[in-house]
Amino acid sequence: MTNTNRSIHLRFTVAIVAAALCLPAVFGGALHAQTAPVTVRDAWVREPAASRKTTAAFLVIENAGTTKRAIVSASSDAAETVELHEMVRDGAMMKMSPVKTIDVPANGKTELKPGGLHIMMFGLKKQPVAGDTLRITLTLDDGTKTIVAAPVRKMEGMK
């Protein structure tokens, strides 16, 4: 190996070592994002009845942090409008109404489920069927956005 080749080889080795030393700094942020205190699981969307342009989404949102969080909005490319809703009993009737936020307690969880809190999707752009997956973006009160992949389930067999 000539001196020129050794010099090039040494420079290349130094560059690789320097890059390897920088990797934890670069991926440390990504690791932090994966360990975010708020996580979502068990998301799903109810298959709408034929010709209906509305449906609802359900999920469990967990907060491992020490500060209460809240969902302040939701959006989806699959619907023109997405709103946070709840079902409440009004006498003998169940009534659906929009809510401004859905709280997630510190070190706790909130379940969005049929008959309770849920996400309403209005103006569906395409009729989703069981087996499809819709993406829903949740925005929290601290500005954090979480993208959720929610599979579509048939209406029968819902829990």
Side-chain angles (χ1 to χ4, degrees), residues 61-70 103-110:
I61 185 165
E62 296 178 324
N63 179 5
T66 57
T67 303
K68 179 185 88 172
R69 296 270 57 106
D103 291 338
V104 186
N107 296 308
K109 67 179 180 182
T110 299

Side-chain angles (χ1 to χ4, degrees), residues 98-117:
V99 294
K100 290 185 178 185
T101 61
I102 295 176
D103 291 338
V104 186
N107 296 308
K109 67 179 180 182
T110 299
E111 185 174 0
L112 282 61
K113 60 184 180 184
L117 295 165

Side-chain angles (χ1 to χ4, degrees), residues 32-99:
H32 175 71
Q34 291 174 353
T35 59
V38 175
T39 57
V40 175
R41 64 177 170 84
D42 302 332
W44 63 281
V45 172
R46 180 180 13 216
E47 181 180 53
S51 76
R52 297 290 311 256
K53 294 290 185 190
T54 62
T55 190
F58 310 97
L59 53 89
V60 176
I61 185 165
E62 296 178 324
N63 179 5
T66 57
T67 303
K68 179 185 88 172
R69 296 270 57 106
I71 302 171
V72 296
S73 67
S75 62
S76 175
D77 291 342
E80 293 175 9
T81 304
V82 180
E83 297 178 355
L84 307 175
H85 277 232
E86 68 177 343
M87 295 294 293
V88 292
R89 181 165 296 284
D90 184 14
M93 302 274 298
M94 290 297 289
K95 183 178 173 185
M96 182 174 73
S97 60
V99 294

